[in-house]
Every structure is written in C-alpha cells, then in structure tokens.
Amino acid sequence: MTLSNIASAPADPILGLTEAFRHDPRPDKVNLGVGVFMNEQGATPVLECIRRAERVLWETERTKNYAPISGIPEFGVEAARLALGPDFHQLAAGRVAVTQTPGGTGALRIGAELLRQFRPGAAVWLPTPTWENHKGVFTAAGCPVKEYPYYDAATRGVEPEALCQALEHVPAGDVVLLHVCCHNPTGADPDAAAWTRMGDIAARVGWLPFFDFAYQGFGDGLAEDRSSLLTMLAKVPEALVSTSLSKNMGLYGERVGALLAITETPAAAQPVLSQIKRIIRTLYSNPPRHGAALACTVLGNPELHDLWLQELEDMRLRIAGNRQRLAAGLANRLPERDFAFIVRQKGMFSFSGLTDAQVNFLREEKGVYIVKGGRINVAGLTQGTLDYVCDAIVAAMRSS
Ligand code: LMR
C-alpha cells in the first residue's frame, strides 16, 4: 500500500450532505439533512445558558490541564443524574460507572470496544431502520451486527408484536441497541406497554440493552423522555447507556456525551470503569474539557439550570410547531393524503416515506437536502422556507 493508491471512501450519508449543501450555489437551497436545531433566522445558536456559562468559566477557570481519562468528575455525576433522574441515580449511583465521551458517538464506540473485548462474538442487534452511523460504529469496533424489525411503514409506527417477537429470539449474551426516545430516523417510539414487555424479555432471555439516548428533552420533556429507560432499568441487571448533550444543550461541536455502564453490583462498577479508561487511553488519551465544563456549569448552577430548562422547552415547542406547519402545508396541497403522522412523530425528524428517487429529485431539482431513506430534519424548517419545502416535496411526490 502506498498513500497514492488509496481509493476514495463514499461521502458520509448525513454529514456528507452538509458538505454538498455548502458547495451548492443555489440561493434557495435548504438543508434538512443533519440533525441540528435552527431558530426562525435559520441559525443554530449558542444557547443563552451556555453563553453565560462561558462567562463564568472565563472568570473562574485557572488551568487547561488534562482532564482525568474518564473526564471531569462533576460532569460524570451531572450527566448520570440527568440521564437516569435523581431518584434512580440516588438509588443506583454505586452501580453506575460513568465516563465523559466525545459526544454520543464517542460513547457508542467506546461501549462497542468494551463489548468486543469482553463479550467476544456477541452480536449487536440494531433496529430497522436506525441511525446511519450505528452499523459503522459497531462494525468498525469489530462487533458483528444484526437487525431486528422495528418500524412498520404501513402504520408509520412501531410494530410492537413483531418487535417483541424478534427480541424473544435474540440469543442470551447478545446486545440490543434501543433508542430511548425520538427514534432516529423514524420519530416513532414504542408505547409504555411495549417498553415494559421489552424489559421483561431482556430480563428473561438475558440480552444486554445498549440504550442510545441522544435526544433527551426533545420528545415530551426531560423526565418523560427517560421513563422508558427507567422502565427497563427496573427489570434488567445490567445495561449500557450512551448520552449526548449535542442537541439538548446545543453543544454539537463541543462533543459532549457520556457512557454509563450500569452493573449488577457496586463491586462490578470499578473494574468496568478501569477497562473503559484503558480503552480511552489508547484511542484519544483523555477527553476535551471545555464543553463538559460548560455543561457542568449549567447543570450545577440553579439559575443557569432553570434558564436551560426554559430554552430546551422553547426548542421542543418550536419543533412541535414546525411539525404542525409542515403537516398542514402538505395537507393543503394534497388534501387527499394523510399527513397526521408528521405531528405524531417525536424529536427532530420526520420519516417522510419519500423514496430514494424522490430524495434525489428534491436535492437535484429543488436544492432541498434530506437524508436517503426519507428522513427530514423538521427542526431545520423556518417560516421562510416552509412553503418552498412543501412545494418541493409535493413536486417530488409527483415526480415518480
Ligand atoms: C444526525 O443523525 O443527523 C445527527 O445525529 C448528526 C450525526 O452525527 O449524524
């Protein structure tokens, strides 16, 4: 091998869209690909609570020394409490090994490395469909990947019977990846009864749940969004949880997330943490401090915390409003079709049902960028782009 004969890799299906969008000269182009929140001005702003936390840090931070391998300790406590809720955290803190990670993706990859080393041969079962990068992350770490049925295109929702039947047949010791809320890309989450059933199945059959919790606060609220996680954690002895503050604190590029390893006994947590630290040391040594320090400052300061809750609620409500507007805009243009599913879906995304040919038409003919498979980032719509996008979607639907 020489560097000069390496062939190009394909563009990333999500982040590659943003690159293509940047190079698109058309003035009315719209990027509804990557999952980032936009305000009415089309910007992805720094939250005010973060701006104030920056000021606090600017005044109080005295060193840029390395963070510990597992990250800033206060951040770990805050991240676990946020994901698990104060009650569970108080009850089970000794069983939770927490590690600060570079975003949710970092947490997934470190968890995957842990699985490959300590559950060699165990398959990781992913829902169909799932976030584009899940397969890549687990495969790159050397974990075999399998799929379980999740979404039913006919009902545009989760098919609990097929889902639970499939989970009954996952071999003991394998790993099942579950989106805690705001399923990416479909926006369709199981109901409370299905989560209870999945918890019973996991406990009886003996597979390990690996929860991806990247959209906490964007579904029904911080506490509501963790209820499915708590339902399952009440039933299973062990779990992995990947969390992210990219979306709910708007800290995308600061790469702030955490890996929570929940062990059966407190005695098991420390050895797991020590192995996670060994994995991190050889990957990136120790995590960047700044974003986690900002998150810690917000979560640990009552005034900033309240401000954050308000800003998060504003983002959630804006997305809900965008769902209503998109559904109404499409229904006005195509009254014979039902678009109520757009309002029912949760989180940033709407799974539109557009075919790949229609997705290509949108990009090539209209400059509207959405992810292959038909995922639309509803959080990226503004009043200024709404009509154009609705017209473009209708034209795409009529194109094939
Ligand atoms: C997305 O799904 O668009 C986000 O999670 C961003 C990413 O890294 O893909």
Side-chain angles (χ1 to χ4, degrees):
M1 189 278 287
T2 68
L3 294 181
S4 50
N5 65 14
I6 295 177
S8 296
D12 182 78
I14 297 176
L15 299 184
L17 276 184
T18 304
E19 281 172 44
F21 178 81
R22 281 204 191 104
H23 292 116
D24 189 331
R26 288 173 284 185
D28 46 6
K29 62 184 178 176
V30 186
N31 188 4
L32 303 177
V34 67
V36 296
F37 174 85
M38 285 183 200
N39 63 17
E40 197 40 50
Q41 287 68 47
T44 302
V46 181
L47 297 189
E48 180 56 26
C49 62
I50 295 294
R51 294 175 66 82
R52 293 195 197 168
E54 294 270 16
R55 200 174 301 139
V56 172
L57 272 191
W58 188 79
E59 280 163 3
T60 57
E61 195 174 52
R62 292 287 169 266
T63 182
K64 293 287 185 191
N65 202 347
Y66 294 122
I69 297 174
S70 55
I72 301 173
E74 303 79 17
F75 172 78
V77 174
E78 294 291 357
R81 199 180 286 144
L82 175 62
L84 303 174
D87 295 345
F88 183 90
H89 187 252
Q90 200 180 359
L91 210 70
R95 299 200 286 123
V96 187
V98 195
T99 320
Q100 178 190 327
T101 58
T105 310
L108 290 168
R109 179 62 192 263
I110 294 160
E113 296 284 341
L114 187 75
L115 293 170
R116 184 187 42 83
Q117 289 180 34
F118 295 98
R119 288 201 179 204
V124 177
W125 294 73
L126 304 175
T128 310
T130 194
W131 179 48
E132 275 288 341
N133 207 22
H134 275 147
K135 191 169 176 200
V137 166
F138 287 103
T139 306
C143 300
V145 167
K146 296 191 174 163
E147 292 180 23
Y148 65 88
Y150 181 84
Y151 181 74
D152 180 10
T155 61
R156 296 190 188 267
V158 177
E159 186 24 79
E161 205 46 52
L163 167 65
C164 290
Q165 281 304 324
L167 295 185
E168 289 277 5
H169 293 102
V170 170
D174 274 7
V175 180
V176 175
L177 185 122
L178 298 158
H179 299 232
V180 177
C181 67
C182 308
H183 181 268
N184 179 1
T186 67
D189 294 331
D191 62 15
W195 281 110
T196 302
R197 205 169 146 197
M198 286 191 280
D200 290 335
I201 296 170
R204 179 164 29 81
V205 176
W207 43 259
L208 177 79
F210 193 157
F211 296 99
D212 187 341
F213 200 9
Y215 293 87
Q216 186 178 10
F218 278 83
D220 294 314
L222 287 175
E224 293 84 348
D225 289 352
R226 74 164 80 89
S227 62
S228 52
L229 176 63
L230 296 186
T231 297
M232 284 201 65
L233 290 182
K235 293 175 183 289
V236 296
E238 300 186 324
L240 295 173
V241 186
S242 137
T243 80
S244 167
L245 298 181
S246 295
K247 325 280 173 174
N248 57 18
M249 279 201 185
L251 285 170
Y252 309 93
E254 295 287 359
R255 311 306 298 137
V256 190
L259 175 66
L260 279 51
I262 299 164
T263 56
E264 187 162 13
T265 61
Q270 201 287 326
V272 170
L273 183 61
S274 71
Q275 293 295 348
I276 290 173
K277 284 162 70 175
R278 201 180 49 80
I279 291 166
I280 291 172
R281 179 69 172 137
T282 57
L283 282 173
Y284 53 87
S285 190
N286 47 69
R289 10 177 2 121
H290 190 68
L294 289 172
C296 248
T297 306
V298 171
L299 292 170
N301 172 316
E303 202 180 312
L304 294 184
H305 190 261
D306 283 353
L307 177 58
W308 172 56
L309 293 182
Q310 188 55 55
E311 292 190 279
L312 176 57
E313 185 66 356
D314 291 347
M315 287 195 282
R316 193 175 73 77
L317 293 177
R318 179 173 153 69
I319 298 171
N322 278 356
R323 288 192 176 283
Q324 303 271 3
R325 286 186 279 275
L326 179 62
L330 291 171
N332 284 342
R333 288 162 174 84
L334 294 174
E336 70 282 7
R337 297 184 69 141
D338 180 13
F339 293 100
F341 68 90
I342 298 177
V343 180
R344 282 199 305 273
Q345 294 164 338
K346 297 277 163 78
M348 282 189 160
F349 306 119
S350 176
F351 205 49
S352 63
L354 293 176
T355 64
D356 289 346
Q358 292 167 334
V359 171
N360 286 341
F361 173 92
L362 272 180
R363 187 175 67 242
E364 280 155 24
E365 303 299 324
K366 303 291 177 183
V368 175
Y369 288 67
I370 70 169
V371 175
K372 189 164 157 263
R375 189 191 84 172
I376 298 176
N377 175 26
V378 188
L381 280 170
T382 66
Q383 306 261 19
T385 57
L386 183 78
D387 279 332
Y388 181 74
V389 168
C390 288
D391 287 340
I393 291 174
V394 170
M397 290 168 94
R398 290 187 172 137
S399 71
S400 57

